[in-house]
Amino acid sequence: MLPSCPDEARFRADGRIAGRFALALCPGPLRRTAPPDEGLVVTPYRPDRDPPVSLPPSPQKSGDQHAQQGAPRRPLRGVYAITPDEADAKRLLPAVAHALEGGLDALQFRVKGGTPNERLELAMAVRTLTSQAGVPLIVNDDVELACAVNAEGVHIGRDDGDPVQVRARIGPHRWLGVSCYNDLQRAHQLSTIADHVGFGSVFASPTKPHAVRAPLSLFGEARAAGLNTVGIGGIDRSNAAQVIAAGADAVAIITDIFSDPDPAAAVRQLRSIVHEALRRRGA
């Protein structure tokens, strides 16, 4: 099990909060609200029953600066789903459960709406699903929430805090992902702090239509420098292989998974495409 963040008990939900959270779920696309009496029941997250996913450490050379500053996890590779910004648990959780069935390599919890307690309860339920599926969970932006649910990692953007301080907060055993947009110099500066850096928007994105665009050439340049990279923005089954071939190690996807009536099937297709592209590249 991963070590707790410092003062983690202050941020973990107590039994009174967790005990209120038991949701009935049903199969179906995200846009359909689940009737209360269908499907499986997701019980509250419990650290004794739902431990974090154990990932093998990457071998490190003696004296390696990256090893000294943390980030010992294996590189993130493959299909990296990001949840839509949907605070309604009866809509979000069935879609997450189906996406996990398809064989995700990682899942990012990215929900901005709702109160802090509501986000905590929802993250706890997602934590249960990812733990049961053996899939690493990364929390977007919120370091304390990542600690509270004992996620495998956290992802931060330019305005979400100093990466050095975030690394110190989460410790050396959790993934730290950092958005670098189209800035290769920023990625180089974070190479001893972050486990992976994100470039994007690679293509036009319905989620962030005004985001800066990142050329595919960035992935090859970052790969040549030994950086682990994630492509994000407008990536789907039609172009994911192109991003991997350019040098990305993983592709982060929202719409092509969670707008599909069958998220599990979408993930299976993406996984086949992405892992074949990684194999062809020799990654």
Side-chain angles (χ1 to χ4, degrees), residues 33 77 79 161 169 181 213 259:
T33 300
R77 284 195 172 91
V79 180
R169 176 73 179 91
Y181 312 99
R213 295 290 287 273
S259 292

Side-chain angles (χ1 to χ4, degrees), residues 16 32 38 42 45 48 55 74 88-89 98 118 124 128 168 187 198 200 216-217 223-224 243 248 252 255 263 275:
R16 289 170 298 174
R32 185 164 74 85
E38 288 187 21
V42 175
Y45 167 76
D48 58 328
L55 298 177
R74 65 163 171 78
D88 184 344
H98 284 156
E118 288 169 345
M124 288 166 68
T128 297
L216 286 171
S217 59
R223 182 172 177 241
V243 182
T255 304
H275 282 269

Side-chain angles (χ1 to χ4, degrees), residues 38-62:
E38 288 187 21
L40 63 134
V41 173
V42 175
T43 54
Y45 167 76
R46 280 180 19 207
D48 58 328
R49 184 198 60 205
D50 303 313
V53 178
S54 177
L55 298 177
S58 296
Q60 302 283 354
K61 295 179 181 179
S62 176

Side-chain angles (χ1 to χ4, degrees), residues 123-195:
M124 288 166 68
V126 171
R127 160 80 279 177
T128 297
L129 292 173
T130 59
S131 180
Q132 291 171 350
V135 173
L137 176 66
I138 297 171
V139 173
N140 179 263
D141 292 352
D142 194 330
V143 177
E144 306 307 335
L145 182 60
C147 290
V149 301
N150 215 6
E152 281 77 28
V154 65
H155 186 91
I156 60 172
R158 184 180 286 123
D159 302 320
D160 299 323
D162 180 353
V164 175
Q165 294 179 358
V166 173
R167 169 57 75 193
R169 176 73 179 91
I170 66 174
H173 300 289
R174 287 179 170 87
W175 270 329
L176 174 59
V178 182
S179 294
C180 290
Y181 312 99
N182 62 350
D183 189 343
L184 184 61
Q185 182 179 359
R186 173 176 165 84
H188 282 302
Q189 292 170 345
L190 294 168
S191 63
T192 61
I193 301 299
D195 295 274

Side-chain angles (χ1 to χ4, degrees), residues 78-136:
V79 180
Y80 177 20
I82 300 177
T83 66
D85 189 5
E86 174 57 74
D88 184 344
K90 290 185 180 180
R91 291 166 58 84
L92 180 65
L93 295 180
V96 168
H98 284 156
L100 290 167
E101 289 174 9
L104 290 175
D105 294 292
L107 177 75
Q108 183 185 121
F109 178 79
R110 183 183 180 275
V111 174
K112 308 289 188 179
T115 67
N117 273 353
E118 288 169 345
R119 286 195 298 275
L120 176 59
E121 291 183 343
L122 188 56
M124 288 166 68
V126 171
R127 160 80 279 177
T128 297
L129 292 173
T130 59
S131 180
Q132 291 171 350
V135 173

